[in-house]
Amino acid sequence: MIHLKNVSKTYRKKVLGTLSLDVQAGERIALVGANGAGKTTLIRTILGQLTYEGVVRVFGLEPRTQREAVLSQIAFVPQIAPPLRMPVGELLRFSAEVSGAAVADFRAIASRLNLAIDDVLAQPFSKLSGGQKQKILIAIALGRSARLLILDEPAANLDPEARRGLFSLLAERNDVAMLISSHRLDEVADLVNRVLELDQGLITLDERVSTGSDLETVLACCIRTVRSEAAFSKALHEWGFSEDDSSTTWQGRVRGADRLRFLGMLSRYSGLLNDLNLERVMEAKE
């Protein structure tokens, strides 16, 4: 579905490089990492918005030269809403026309996100609040047919009720592959079956999350950091880990069922991580 080989992107400095990745149908991926890690640049490369070095194929197509064909199969929610001046009602009709969707489906999803859509139909999209814009973009993305759903920080600007509505809607979409960029792995943990972590434009973690028997295992974990840090030490001690004399090498065990929660904790310290190894060692015992 998505194939990247030796992909790099440079502005004033290299923000992706050198990155290789394959995404298969049915995968639901959490893309995590600190600000500036390269998450949005990776997404924009997949969408054909940026030039790049290396090989990128999406559905077997090159996203720069065959962009229309690629985007016809992708539903996308950007991190920053575009500055569209058209009224919301016109935007919904236009989006339905170009995607073959129904305005009624957009309206139904907006309602589940706690948006009173009738109150904003005549307003220019650019004049809406950040939360209202986000809800409309989500409604348009989820209301259309697509093979791949890409969401860049989709819960940004959403109130708690709308966040719950969003994740409930995503849980119902078993028909599409997903790539969800998020600062909070805990929010998307129940949705995904793979976690990718980026740091300085490189994949530092690629963890596939299984269900069933794998959740009943115990994982031996070894972590190496570039330096010692008190907050990170405290977090690992709470997980029962022990360190060497320099506090840069840590050993511990994690239940399979807690793996995503553990990885979510680690993602907050991605700049510290030098090496991470998880290995199944036994079946968990109650």
Side-chain angles (χ1 to χ4, degrees):
M1 179 170 280
I2 299 175
H3 172 71
L4 283 73
K5 184 175 182 180
N6 298 329
V7 173
S8 62
K9 174 63 183 177
T10 302
Y11 295 109
R12 293 183 178 178
K13 65 177 183 178
K14 184 169 286 189
V15 291
L16 284 184
T18 303
L19 189 150
S20 295
L21 172 68
D22 284 289
V23 177
Q24 306 301 325
E27 290 194 307
R28 300 182 303 279
I29 298 172
L31 181 63
V32 299
N35 286 335
K39 303 188 299 297
T40 296
T41 300
L42 173 60
I43 287 172
R44 294 184 65 194
T45 300
I46 293 171
L47 294 172
Q49 296 177 354
L50 301 175
T51 59
Y52 57 86
E53 296 180 358
V55 176
V56 179
R57 295 292 181 268
V58 184
F59 313 118
L61 305 173
E62 201 286 313
R64 290 286 294 175
T65 60
Q66 299 170 288
R67 192 175 179 200
E68 183 176 348
V70 169
L71 294 183
S72 69
Q73 304 177 74
I74 297 176
F76 173 53
V77 177
Q79 183 178 14
I80 300 175
L84 302 174
R85 295 184 179 181
M86 67 175 66
V88 171
E90 184 179 338
L91 173 60
L92 296 182
R93 289 189 294 272
F94 173 78
S95 300
E97 181 179 345
V98 299
S99 66
V103 171
D105 291 333
F106 298 158
R107 291 171 61 93
I109 292 172
S111 178
R112 291 185 60 177
L113 296 172
N114 198 31
L115 176 64
I117 190 70
D118 289 330
D119 294 343
V120 299
L121 286 177
Q123 297 184 38
F125 179 81
S126 60
K127 298 297 184 181
L128 301 182
S129 70
Q132 290 172 324
K133 291 176 182 176
Q134 193 76 351
K135 292 174 184 180
I136 289 170
L137 293 175
I138 292 169
I140 291 171
L142 297 187
R144 56 163 296 188
S145 176
R147 295 172 61 189
L148 174 63
L149 182 59
I150 298 179
L151 305 102
D152 194 358
E153 298 291 346
N157 300 315
L158 295 184
D159 55 87
E161 184 174 348
R163 293 171 86 98
R164 290 191 292 271
L166 167 63
F167 294 121
S168 177
L169 285 162
L170 293 177
E172 296 169 9
R173 293 299 303 268
N174 295 320
D175 58 326
V176 295
M178 296 183 190
L179 180 62
I180 308 173
S181 170
S182 177
H183 283 94
R184 297 182 55 182
L185 182 56
D186 59 309
E187 282 196 326
V188 299
D190 292 337
L191 294 172
V192 303
N193 53 26
R194 185 178 177 187
V195 178
L196 290 175
E197 183 173 352
L198 289 186
D199 185 37
Q200 298 181 9
L202 297 173
I203 295 174
T204 56
L205 175 70
D206 186 352
E207 179 77 7
R208 284 175 170 81
V209 182
S210 301
T211 58
S213 61
D214 280 356
L215 298 180
E216 303 302 323
T217 63
V218 171
L219 304 167
C221 180
C222 178
I223 300 170
R224 293 183 175 85
T225 62
V226 296
R227 64 182 183 276
S228 174
E229 185 172 296
F232 185 64
S233 297
K234 180 181 178 182
L236 283 182
H237 281 145
E238 291 175 352
W239 279 85
F241 276 59
S242 59
E243 72 271 38
D244 65 2
D245 291 340
S246 65
S247 294
T248 58
T249 299
W250 295 80
Q251 303 281 345
R253 294 191 174 191
V254 179
R255 290 173 57 95
D258 295 327
R259 176 164 52 182
L260 273 184
R261 189 165 61 89
F262 179 70
L263 294 175
M265 181 277 293
L266 290 182
S267 70
R268 299 196 294 270
Y269 302 96
S270 59
L272 280 178
L273 300 183
N274 186 43
D275 184 55
L276 169 66
N277 183 61
L278 288 168
E279 183 178 352
R280 189 169 75 171
V281 292
M282 65 176 70
E283 297 298 318
K285 302 296 183 182
E286 297 294 339

